Amino acid sequence: VSKVVSNISISLDGFVAGPDDSPENPLGDGGEGLHEWIFDLASWRRAHGRGGGKTGRDDDLMAEAIEQTGATVMGRRMFDQGERPWGDEPPFRHDVFVLTHRPREPLRKQGGTTFFFVEGSAEEVLTRAREASGEKDVSVASGQAIVQFLEAGLLDELTIHLVPVFFGGGVPLFASIDPRTPPLELVEAIPSEGVTHLRFRRAN
Amino acid sequence: VSKVVSNISISLDGFVAGPDDSPENPLGDGGEGLHEWIFDLASWRRAHGRGGGKTGRDDDLMAEAIEQTGATVMGRRMFDQGERPWGDEPPFRHDVFVLTHRPREPLRKQGGTTFFFVEGSAEEVLTRAREASGEKDVSVASGQAIVQFLEAGLLDELTIHLVPVFFGGGVPLFASIDPRTPPLELVEAIPSEGVTHLRFRRAN
């Protein structure tokens, strides 16, 4: 069954980017440390058109997430920061819906990725993403989109990749989330090398 | 062997007290919800001189924490807020060291609790607390003291009781912690009813 899922790396003190983030320093000071556990995984390298890389538990998790995802939703900020580094052949290889207040023409890239710039509620965007994802899951990327989908009660699963580092400041995942947001419950904790995967689902 | 440990309840979005906390509303709006899993435990009731209460896994954890603790360190804010509700016979029943910039005479209470008001570095306070705790553990209570001990690399174990609620604001556990703070690693995640216990220790 198609689910709405999210995967995000955060610091021990709850930040998804370090202090002093800017267009030139998109992950903030030290922010790239949150993603180091990913860069060398075989499945990640494959998605980026490269060979080799580490296999094992982290790679299995990542491979499954990539394989299961049929469409991605992200905030405008993540798109703006990612567009250049993703290049001509972005790693998504499916439809990506970018939340924005300035809709524009879709941007078709090589390798199967098309970016759609959409306005509307989380429900409306999800309807479009579900059509695109078919039997597969819709992945909600970027902190901004995750909070929006959580508040709307639309996220089925959230996997937090907890990286053992303190930032002391930066972009918090849960800045001023609506306190009426349906709570999450922890389903599973998977310790690994340099990261712990905490799998949450919507509590009933 | 005597360890330096800490136990603290936090919301999903990382707050130890809700929004708008004040002396009249010490836990902030909704903050008492963080501690509901504790109030009815048999071991907690026993520490407060009452009978009955729930047994089981949560109670075993709490009973062990209470039994293993030989001295407590807390911030001034926690003492100020707790002094009245704790009453004439506070539940600690051992020496409590309150971090303050205004040292004063110790405050002896019934039932074995004495509050010492101490100034100095985390190291200095810990030396005194270790003398008082003997073979047992030193427990660091209150977010303020936890951050101070973490930054000094003096906390051996931190157990976070993650309560499935979002606050959207309040008193964060890790507000602007020093980014050079030695990181923690997750050792164990224990799901329970209405709370998940996440046991961390200092990473090596």
Side-chain angles (χ1 to χ4, degrees), chain A residues 101-122:
Chain A
H101 295 298
R102 300 188 184 178
R104 53 171 164 124
E105 287 302 296
L107 183 61
R108 228 164 283 276
K109 294 282 191 171
Q110 294 168 31
T113 300
T114 300
F115 294 99
F116 295 88
F117 302 89
V118 295
E119 207 178 6
S121 67

Side-chain angles (χ1 to χ4, degrees), chain A residues 27-196:
Chain A
L27 299 172
D29 295 346
E32 67 287 347
L34 292 180
H35 307 283
E36 263 163 24
W37 69 276
I38 296 175
F39 297 138
D40 205 34
L41 299 179
S43 52
W44 183 259
R45 293 180 59 90
R46 206 157 51 236
H48 289 76
R50 278 174 274 153
K54 280 200 289 189
T55 56
R57 209 178 198 182
D58 292 342
D59 186 53
D60 292 345
L61 279 172
M62 179 60 66
E64 196 191 321
I66 291 172
E67 168 59 31
Q68 286 295 321
T69 301
T72 294
V73 176
M74 67 177 61
R76 171 68 191 278
R77 188 173 168 277
M78 181 171 171
F79 173 78
D80 286 346
Q81 292 173 349
E83 186 177 10
R84 203 181 318 174
W86 291 325
D88 293 334
E89 192 175 332
F92 304 99
R93 306 180 189 285
H94 52 235
D95 289 349
V96 176
F97 297 86
V98 181
L99 306 167
T100 176
H101 295 298
R102 300 188 184 178
R104 53 171 164 124
E105 287 302 296
L107 183 61
R108 228 164 283 276
K109 294 282 191 171
Q110 294 168 31
T113 300
T114 300
F115 294 99
F116 295 88
F117 302 89
V118 295
E119 207 178 6
S121 67
E123 283 84 354
E124 288 162 348
V125 173
L126 180 56
T127 301
R128 290 198 58 183
R130 274 198 198 280
E131 278 165 23
S133 72
E135 300 286 296
K136 292 191 172 184
D137 294 343
V138 173
S139 172
V140 179
S142 90
Q144 183 197 336
I146 289 173
V147 168
Q148 224 173 305
F149 274 68
L150 275 174
E151 289 179 338
L154 296 174
L155 204 65
D156 298 311
E157 280 185 24
L158 171 63
T159 300
I160 284 179
H161 309 291
L162 190 65
V163 177
V165 63
F166 289 107
F167 279 174
V171 181
L173 175 55
F174 292 127
S176 54
I177 192 170
D178 188 326
R180 293 162 303 180
T181 299
L184 302 170
E185 63 183 9
L186 184 70
V187 180
E188 198 181 10
I190 306 171
S192 186
E193 221 180 304
V195 62
T196 298

